Amino acid sequence: LALSTMSFAQQYDLEDQENSIIITENNKSILKIDVKEPMQVAVKNCSGFKAGNGEGGVSAYTETLRRYMFNYLNSEFYVLNGDFTFTLILNEAGKISKIEGFPKVEHSEVFFDDMKYILRRIKNTWTPASCNGKPMTSEVKIKMKLNSIATDI
């Protein structure tokens, strides 16, 4: 009876979650993540700036990111709470050339390594940002809020 109740509870959480929230749980921790839509950083002194865009648009990229995070995060290795930002550097060809996570806090490096793996694993073609019609390097920021609870079993 207890096993079936736990199974139903997990299914219920996943089906009723909001679009922006990912809930993963294993036998030691529960991780709730609220992912915000990525935002493009504009360039100064450019009157004709056009933001880079992922294949299918920002919403499609965000949904793919949520799905990958649910499948690939190893949340049993860290307990983190708070707001985190990932900065993706897109080069002139639309490829992710660098990924950085902030703020760096105790035990965040494993989470940042997981997120770098996830962000590089997403097979998404980016249209590079442009200034006056010329492709240019740009930044995309992804903000998220983490709440994790760890238990000893």
Side-chain angles (χ1 to χ4, degrees), residues 106-133:
E106 188 176 1
H107 306 296
S108 65
E109 284 306 315
V110 177
F111 171 62
F112 292 159
D113 288 344
D114 281 353
M115 285 301 298
K116 287 176 185 179
Y117 172 79
I118 289 168
L119 290 165
R120 292 196 189 284
R121 189 169 173 90
I122 296 174
K123 302 295 184 215
N124 193 330
T125 304
W126 285 86
T127 304
S130 62
C131 180
N132 299 321

PDB file of all heavy atoms in Angstrom, residues 106-133:
ATOM      1  N   GLU A 106      28.945  27.179  -2.101  1.00  0.00           N
ATOM      2  CA  GLU A 106      29.417  25.863  -1.679  1.00  0.00           C
ATOM      3  C   GLU A 106      28.586  24.761  -2.344  1.00  0.00           C
ATOM      4  O   GLU A 106      27.357  24.824  -2.353  1.00  0.00           O
ATOM      5  CB  GLU A 106      29.313  25.748  -0.155  1.00  0.00           C
ATOM      6  CG  GLU A 106      29.951  24.506   0.392  1.00  0.00           C
ATOM      7  CD  GLU A 106      29.932  24.461   1.910  1.00  0.00           C
ATOM      8  OE1 GLU A 106      29.404  25.398   2.551  1.00  0.00           O
ATOM      9  OE2 GLU A 106      30.440  23.479   2.447  1.00  0.00           O
ATOM     10  N   HIS A 107      29.254  23.805  -2.935  1.00  0.00           N
ATOM     11  CA  HIS A 107      28.666  22.635  -3.599  1.00  0.00           C
ATOM     12  C   HIS A 107      27.967  22.953  -4.924  1.00  0.00           C
ATOM     13  O   HIS A 107      27.268  22.109  -5.465  1.00  0.00           O
ATOM     14  CB  HIS A 107      27.682  21.900  -2.679  1.00  0.00           C
ATOM     15  CG  HIS A 107      28.253  21.517  -1.360  1.00  0.00           C
ATOM     16  ND1 HIS A 107      29.284  20.622  -1.238  1.00  0.00           N
ATOM     17  CD2 HIS A 107      27.963  21.929  -0.106  1.00  0.00           C
ATOM     18  CE1 HIS A 107      29.598  20.493   0.039  1.00  0.00           C
ATOM     19  NE2 HIS A 107      28.815  21.276   0.745  1.00  0.00           N
ATOM     20  N   SER A 108      28.137  24.163  -5.447  1.00  0.00           N
ATOM     21  CA  SER A 108      27.462  24.502  -6.705  1.00  0.00           C
ATOM     22  C   SER A 108      28.210  23.975  -7.922  1.00  0.00           C
ATOM     23  O   SER A 108      27.614  23.858  -8.996  1.00  0.00           O
ATOM     24  CB  SER A 108      27.274  26.014  -6.834  1.00  0.00           C
ATOM     25  OG  SER A 108      28.523  26.674  -6.930  1.00  0.00           O
ATOM     26  N   GLU A 109      29.485  23.658  -7.814  1.00  0.00           N
ATOM     27  CA  GLU A 109      30.276  23.234  -8.976  1.00  0.00           C
ATOM     28  C   GLU A 109      29.716  21.961  -9.627  1.00  0.00           C
ATOM     29  O   GLU A 109      29.712  21.847 -10.849  1.00  0.00           O
ATOM     30  CB  GLU A 109      31.751  23.049  -8.608  1.00  0.00           C
ATOM     31  CG  GLU A 109      32.493  24.363  -8.452  1.00  0.00           C
ATOM     32  CD  GLU A 109      32.376  25.278  -9.666  1.00  0.00           C
ATOM     33  OE1 GLU A 109      32.524  24.811 -10.813  1.00  0.00           O
ATOM     34  OE2 GLU A 109      32.127  26.482  -9.464  1.00  0.00           O
ATOM     35  N   VAL A 110      29.247  21.010  -8.829  1.00  0.00           N
ATOM     36  CA  VAL A 110      28.686  19.780  -9.403  1.00  0.00           C
ATOM     37  C   VAL A 110      27.417  20.115 -10.179  1.00  0.00           C
ATOM     38  O   VAL A 110      27.204  19.605 -11.279  1.00  0.00           O
ATOM     39  CB  VAL A 110      28.402  18.727  -8.306  1.00  0.00           C
ATOM     40  CG1 VAL A 110      27.745  17.487  -8.896  1.00  0.00           C
ATOM     41  CG2 VAL A 110      29.682  18.352  -7.571  1.00  0.00           C
ATOM     42  N   PHE A 111      26.581  20.987  -9.626  1.00  0.00           N
ATOM     43  CA  PHE A 111      25.371  21.432 -10.329  1.00  0.00           C
ATOM     44  C   PHE A 111      25.742  22.159 -11.618  1.00  0.00           C
ATOM     45  O   PHE A 111      25.160  21.902 -12.677  1.00  0.00           O
ATOM     46  CB  PHE A 111      24.542  22.336  -9.419  1.00  0.00           C
ATOM     47  CG  PHE A 111      23.400  23.019 -10.108  1.00  0.00           C
ATOM     48  CD1 PHE A 111      22.364  22.287 -10.676  1.00  0.00           C
ATOM     49  CD2 PHE A 111      23.356  24.397 -10.199  1.00  0.00           C
ATOM     50  CE1 PHE A 111      21.302  22.920 -11.321  1.00  0.00           C
ATOM     51  CE2 PHE A 111      22.306  25.033 -10.837  1.00  0.00           C
ATOM     52  CZ  PHE A 111      21.282  24.295 -11.398  1.00  0.00           C
ATOM     53  N   PHE A 112      26.752  23.042 -11.557  1.00  0.00           N
ATOM     54  CA  PHE A 112      27.182  23.759 -12.758  1.00  0.00           C
ATOM     55  C   PHE A 112      27.717  22.795 -13.811  1.00  0.00           C
ATOM     56  O   PHE A 112      27.439  22.961 -15.002  1.00  0.00           O
ATOM     57  CB  PHE A 112      28.233  24.811 -12.419  1.00  0.00           C
ATOM     58  CG  PHE A 112      27.704  25.962 -11.602  1.00  0.00           C
ATOM     59  CD1 PHE A 112      28.572  26.747 -10.868  1.00  0.00           C
ATOM     60  CD2 PHE A 112      26.358  26.272 -11.560  1.00  0.00           C
ATOM     61  CE1 PHE A 112      28.096  27.823 -10.120  1.00  0.00           C
ATOM     62  CE2 PHE A 112      25.869  27.329 -10.812  1.00  0.00           C
ATOM     63  CZ  PHE A 112      26.745  28.113 -10.087  1.00  0.00           C
ATOM     64  N   ASP A 113      28.460  21.779 -13.392  1.00  0.00           N
ATOM     65  CA  ASP A 113      28.960  20.780 -14.341  1.00  0.00           C
ATOM     66  C   ASP A 113      27.803  20.026 -14.997  1.00  0.00           C
ATOM     67  O   ASP A 113      27.809  19.783 -16.204  1.00  0.00           O
ATOM     68  CB  ASP A 113      29.900  19.780 -13.653  1.00  0.00           C
ATOM     69  CG  ASP A 113      31.242  20.399 -13.289  1.00  0.00           C
ATOM     70  OD1 ASP A 113      31.574  21.485 -13.824  1.00  0.00           O
ATOM     71  OD2 ASP A 113      31.950  19.800 -12.463  1.00  0.00           O
ATOM     72  N   ASP A 114      26.784  19.653 -14.197  1.00  0.00           N
ATOM     73  CA  ASP A 114      25.594  18.993 -14.752  1.00  0.00           C
ATOM     74  C   ASP A 114      24.906  19.892 -15.773  1.00  0.00           C
ATOM     75  O   ASP A 114      24.506  19.452 -16.850  1.00  0.00           O
ATOM     76  CB  ASP A 114      24.590  18.650 -13.650  1.00  0.00           C
ATOM     77  CG  ASP A 114      24.948  17.412 -12.860  1.00  0.00           C
ATOM     78  OD1 ASP A 114      25.917  16.717 -13.236  1.00  0.00           O
ATOM     79  OD2 ASP A 114      24.252  17.133 -11.866  1.00  0.00           O
ATOM     80  N   MET A 115      24.754  21.171 -15.433  1.00  0.00           N
ATOM     81  CA  MET A 115      24.066  22.090 -16.333  1.00  0.00           C
ATOM     82  C   MET A 115      24.864  22.323 -17.613  1.00  0.00           C
ATOM     83  O   MET A 115      24.283  22.414 -18.695  1.00  0.00           O
ATOM     84  CB  MET A 115      23.785  23.420 -15.629  1.00  0.00           C
ATOM     85  CG  MET A 115      22.644  23.351 -14.637  1.00  0.00           C
ATOM     86  SD  MET A 115      21.074  22.847 -15.378  1.00  0.00           S
ATOM     87  CE  MET A 115      20.800  24.159 -16.537  1.00  0.00           C
ATOM     88  N   LYS A 116      26.177  22.403 -17.521  1.00  0.00           N
ATOM     89  CA  LYS A 116      27.000  22.551 -18.729  1.00  0.00           C
ATOM     90  C   LYS A 116      26.815  21.344 -19.637  1.00  0.00           C
ATOM     91  O   LYS A 116      26.691  21.484 -20.857  1.00  0.00           O
ATOM     92  CB  LYS A 116      28.469  22.739 -18.355  1.00  0.00           C
ATOM     93  CG  LYS A 116      28.762  24.098 -17.776  1.00  0.00           C
ATOM     94  CD  LYS A 116      30.213  24.208 -17.331  1.00  0.00           C
ATOM     95  CE  LYS A 116      30.463  25.530 -16.649  1.00  0.00           C
ATOM     96  NZ  LYS A 116      31.844  25.666 -16.174  1.00  0.00           N
ATOM     97  N   TYR A 117      26.792  20.153 -19.039  1.00  0.00           N
ATOM     98  CA  TYR A 117      26.562  18.927 -19.815  1.00  0.00           C
ATOM     99  C   TYR A 117      25.199  18.994 -20.505  1.00  0.00           C
ATOM    100  O   TYR A 117      25.076  18.707 -21.699  1.00  0.00           O
ATOM    101  CB  TYR A 117      26.642  17.714 -18.886  1.00  0.00           C
ATOM    102  CG  TYR A 117      26.225  16.426 -19.541  1.00  0.00           C
ATOM    103  CD1 TYR A 117      27.096  15.740 -20.389  1.00  0.00           C
ATOM    104  CD2 TYR A 117      24.958  15.894 -19.324  1.00  0.00           C
ATOM    105  CE1 TYR A 117      26.711  14.563 -21.004  1.00  0.00           C
ATOM    106  CE2 TYR A 117      24.573  14.714 -19.934  1.00  0.00           C
ATOM    107  CZ  TYR A 117      25.455  14.051 -20.770  1.00  0.00           C
ATOM    108  OH  TYR A 117      25.058  12.889 -21.373  1.00  0.00           O
ATOM    109  N   ILE A 118      24.174  19.392 -19.767  1.00  0.00           N
ATOM    110  CA  ILE A 118      22.809  19.464 -20.314  1.00  0.00           C
ATOM    111  C   ILE A 118      22.732  20.500 -21.436  1.00  0.00           C
ATOM    112  O   ILE A 118      22.190  20.225 -22.511  1.00  0.00           O
ATOM    113  CB  ILE A 118      21.804  19.794 -19.186  1.00  0.00           C
ATOM    114  CG1 ILE A 118      21.655  18.582 -18.270  1.00  0.00           C
ATOM    115  CG2 ILE A 118      20.462  20.224 -19.761  1.00  0.00           C
ATOM    116  CD1 ILE A 118      20.928  18.880 -16.977  1.00  0.00           C
ATOM    117  N   LEU A 119      23.274  21.684 -21.210  1.00  0.00           N
ATOM    118  CA  LEU A 119      23.190  22.753 -22.206  1.00  0.00           C
ATOM    119  C   LEU A 119      23.946  22.392 -23.481  1.00  0.00           C
ATOM    120  O   LEU A 119      23.522  22.746 -24.581  1.00  0.00           O
ATOM    121  CB  LEU A 119      23.701  24.066 -21.619  1.00  0.00           C
ATOM    122  CG  LEU A 119      22.792  24.671 -20.544  1.00  0.00           C
ATOM    123  CD1 LEU A 119      23.520  25.741 -19.756  1.00  0.00           C
ATOM    124  CD2 LEU A 119      21.513  25.211 -21.163  1.00  0.00           C
ATOM    125  N   ARG A 120      25.053  21.670 -23.360  1.00  0.00           N
ATOM    126  CA  ARG A 120      25.793  21.253 -24.558  1.00  0.00           C
ATOM    127  C   ARG A 120      25.113  20.073 -25.251  1.00  0.00           C
ATOM    128  O   ARG A 120      25.268  19.886 -26.451  1.00  0.00           O
ATOM    129  CB  ARG A 120      27.222  20.882 -24.194  1.00  0.00           C
ATOM    130  CG  ARG A 120      28.033  22.083 -23.754  1.00  0.00           C
ATOM    131  CD  ARG A 120      29.505  21.795 -23.761  1.00  0.00           C
ATOM    132  NE  ARG A 120      30.286  22.845 -23.150  1.00  0.00           N
ATOM    133  CZ  ARG A 120      30.576  24.004 -23.707  1.00  0.00           C
ATOM    134  NH1 ARG A 120      30.133  24.296 -24.894  1.00  0.00           N
ATOM    135  NH2 ARG A 120      31.305  24.898 -23.073  1.00  0.00           N
ATOM    136  N   ARG A 121      24.361  19.283 -24.500  1.00  0.00           N
ATOM    137  CA  ARG A 121      23.691  18.100 -25.051  1.00  0.00           C
ATOM    138  C   ARG A 121      22.474  18.472 -25.916  1.00  0.00           C
ATOM    139  O   ARG A 121      22.092  17.727 -26.806  1.00  0.00           O
ATOM    140  CB  ARG A 121      23.269  17.183 -23.906  1.00  0.00           C
ATOM    141  CG  ARG A 121      22.763  15.851 -24.349  1.00  0.00           C
ATOM    142  CD  ARG A 121      22.625  14.936 -23.157  1.00  0.00           C
ATOM    143  NE  ARG A 121      21.980  13.715 -23.540  1.00  0.00           N
ATOM    144  CZ  ARG A 121      22.619  12.635 -23.962  1.00  0.00           C
ATOM    145  NH1 ARG A 121      23.917  12.630 -24.038  1.00  0.00           N
ATOM    146  NH2 ARG A 121      21.943  11.561 -24.305  1.00  0.00           N
ATOM    147  N   ILE A 122      21.871  19.612 -25.629  1.00  0.00           N
ATOM    148  CA  ILE A 122      20.701  20.040 -26.409  1.00  0.00           C
ATOM    149  C   ILE A 122      21.158  20.347 -27.826  1.00  0.00           C
ATOM    150  O   ILE A 122      21.972  21.232 -28.056  1.00  0.00           O
ATOM    151  CB  ILE A 122      20.031  21.272 -25.775  1.00  0.00           C
ATOM    152  CG1 ILE A 122      19.479  20.930 -24.395  1.00  0.00           C
ATOM    153  CG2 ILE A 122      18.910  21.798 -26.677  1.00  0.00           C
ATOM    154  CD1 ILE A 122      18.931  22.122 -23.629  1.00  0.00           C
ATOM    155  N   LYS A 123      20.639  19.598 -28.765  1.00  0.00           N
ATOM    156  CA  LYS A 123      20.982  19.802 -30.186  1.00  0.00           C
ATOM    157  C   LYS A 123      20.032  20.855 -30.738  1.00  0.00           C
ATOM    158  O   LYS A 123      18.944  20.567 -31.185  1.00  0.00           O
ATOM    159  CB  LYS A 123      20.849  18.493 -30.976  1.00  0.00           C
ATOM    160  CG  LYS A 123      21.719  17.374 -30.449  1.00  0.00           C
ATOM    161  CD  LYS A 123      23.175  17.706 -30.599  1.00  0.00           C
ATOM    162  CE  LYS A 123      24.028  16.544 -30.163  1.00  0.00           C
ATOM    163  NZ  LYS A 123      25.247  16.892 -29.538  1.00  0.00           N
ATOM    164  N   ASN A 124      20.468  22.079 -30.669  1.00  0.00           N
ATOM    165  CA  ASN A 124      19.642  23.187 -31.097  1.00  0.00           C
ATOM    166  C   ASN A 124      20.492  24.125 -31.941  1.00  0.00           C
ATOM    167  O   ASN A 124      21.578  24.517 -31.542  1.00  0.00           O
ATOM    168  CB  ASN A 124      19.094  23.927 -29.871  1.00  0.00           C
ATOM    169  CG  ASN A 124      17.988  24.877 -30.217  1.00  0.00           C
ATOM    170  OD1 ASN A 124      17.944  25.425 -31.311  1.00  0.00           O
ATOM    171  ND2 ASN A 124      17.083  25.090 -29.285  1.00  0.00           N
ATOM    172  N   THR A 125      19.994  24.471 -33.097  1.00  0.00           N
ATOM    173  CA  THR A 125      20.694  25.406 -33.966  1.00  0.00           C
ATOM    174  C   THR A 125      20.263  26.816 -33.595  1.00  0.00           C
ATOM    175  O   THR A 125      19.077  27.134 -33.607  1.00  0.00           O
ATOM    176  CB  THR A 125      20.345  25.133 -35.442  1.00  0.00           C
ATOM    177  OG1 THR A 125      20.642  23.780 -35.733  1.00  0.00           O
ATOM    178  CG2 THR A 125      21.123  26.046 -36.354  1.00  0.00           C
ATOM    179  N   TRP A 126      21.238  27.637 -33.237  1.00  0.00           N
ATOM    180  CA  TRP A 126      20.963  29.024 -32.907  1.00  0.00           C
ATOM    181  C   TRP A 126      21.206  29.900 -34.119  1.00  0.00           C
ATOM    182  O   TRP A 126      22.163  29.701 -34.855  1.00  0.00           O
ATOM    183  CB  TRP A 126      21.890  29.498 -31.785  1.00  0.00           C
ATOM    184  CG  TRP A 126      21.537  28.976 -30.435  1.00  0.00           C
ATOM    185  CD1 TRP A 126      21.937  27.793 -29.894  1.00  0.00           C
ATOM    186  CD2 TRP A 126      20.723  29.604 -29.452  1.00  0.00           C
ATOM    187  NE1 TRP A 126      21.430  27.654 -28.637  1.00  0.00           N
ATOM    188  CE2 TRP A 126      20.669  28.766 -28.340  1.00  0.00           C
ATOM    189  CE3 TRP A 126      20.042  30.821 -29.417  1.00  0.00           C
ATOM    190  CZ2 TRP A 126      19.961  29.079 -27.194  1.00  0.00           C
ATOM    191  CZ3 TRP A 126      19.333  31.136 -28.266  1.00  0.00           C
ATOM    192  CH2 TRP A 126      19.294  30.280 -27.179  1.00  0.00           C
ATOM    193  N   THR A 127      20.337  30.861 -34.322  1.00  0.00           N
ATOM    194  CA  THR A 127      20.595  31.920 -35.281  1.00  0.00           C
ATOM    195  C   THR A 127      21.376  32.969 -34.504  1.00  0.00           C
ATOM    196  O   THR A 127      20.909  33.428 -33.454  1.00  0.00           O
ATOM    197  CB  THR A 127      19.278  32.533 -35.799  1.00  0.00           C
ATOM    198  OG1 THR A 127      18.490  31.495 -36.353  1.00  0.00           O
ATOM    199  CG2 THR A 127      19.537  33.611 -36.822  1.00  0.00           C
ATOM    200  N   PRO A 128      22.586  33.342 -34.953  1.00  0.00           N
ATOM    201  CA  PRO A 128      23.376  34.278 -34.156  1.00  0.00           C
ATOM    202  C   PRO A 128      22.740  35.665 -34.095  1.00  0.00           C
ATOM    203  O   PRO A 128      21.971  36.044 -34.972  1.00  0.00           O
ATOM    204  CB  PRO A 128      24.718  34.324 -34.888  1.00  0.00           C
ATOM    205  CG  PRO A 128      24.421  33.897 -36.268  1.00  0.00           C
ATOM    206  CD  PRO A 128      23.250  32.964 -36.195  1.00  0.00           C
ATOM    207  N   ALA A 129      23.090  36.387 -33.051  1.00  0.00           N
ATOM    208  CA  ALA A 129      22.652  37.775 -32.947  1.00  0.00           C
ATOM    209  C   ALA A 129      23.344  38.573 -34.043  1.00  0.00           C
ATOM    210  O   ALA A 129      24.385  38.168 -34.565  1.00  0.00           O
ATOM    211  CB  ALA A 129      23.018  38.329 -31.573  1.00  0.00           C
ATOM    212  N   SER A 130      22.752  39.693 -34.405  1.00  0.00           N
ATOM    213  CA  SER A 130      23.378  40.513 -35.442  1.00  0.00           C
ATOM    214  C   SER A 130      23.245  41.987 -35.096  1.00  0.00           C
ATOM    215  O   SER A 130      22.327  42.408 -34.403  1.00  0.00           O
ATOM    216  CB  SER A 130      22.746  40.233 -36.804  1.00  0.00           C
ATOM    217  OG  SER A 130      21.375  40.572 -36.799  1.00  0.00           O
ATOM    218  N   CYS A 131      24.201  42.737 -35.598  1.00  0.00           N
ATOM    219  CA  CYS A 131      24.194  44.188 -35.464  1.00  0.00           C
ATOM    220  C   CYS A 131      24.296  44.759 -36.868  1.00  0.00           C
ATOM    221  O   CYS A 131      25.279  44.499 -37.576  1.00  0.00           O
ATOM    222  CB  CYS A 131      25.369  44.654 -34.598  1.00  0.00           C
ATOM    223  SG  CYS A 131      25.419  46.434 -34.377  1.00  0.00           S
ATOM    224  N   ASN A 132      23.274  45.462 -37.265  1.00  0.00           N
ATOM    225  CA  ASN A 132      23.203  46.029 -38.614  1.00  0.00           C
ATOM    226  C   ASN A 132      23.415  44.966 -39.689  1.00  0.00           C
ATOM    227  O   ASN A 132      24.107  45.186 -40.677  1.00  0.00           O
ATOM    228  CB  ASN A 132      24.216  47.171 -38.769  1.00  0.00           C
ATOM    229  CG  ASN A 132      23.940  48.294 -37.787  1.00  0.00           C
ATOM    230  OD1 ASN A 132      22.788  48.632 -37.536  1.00  0.00           O
ATOM    231  ND2 ASN A 132      24.990  48.855 -37.212  1.00  0.00           N
ATOM    232  N   GLY A 133      22.853  43.767 -39.461  1.00  0.00           N
ATOM    233  CA  GLY A 133      22.909  42.684 -40.436  1.00  0.00           C
ATOM    234  C   GLY A 133      24.146  41.807 -40.383  1.00  0.00           C
ATOM    235  O   GLY A 133      24.240  40.822 -41.094  1.00  0.00           O
TER     236      GLY A 133
END
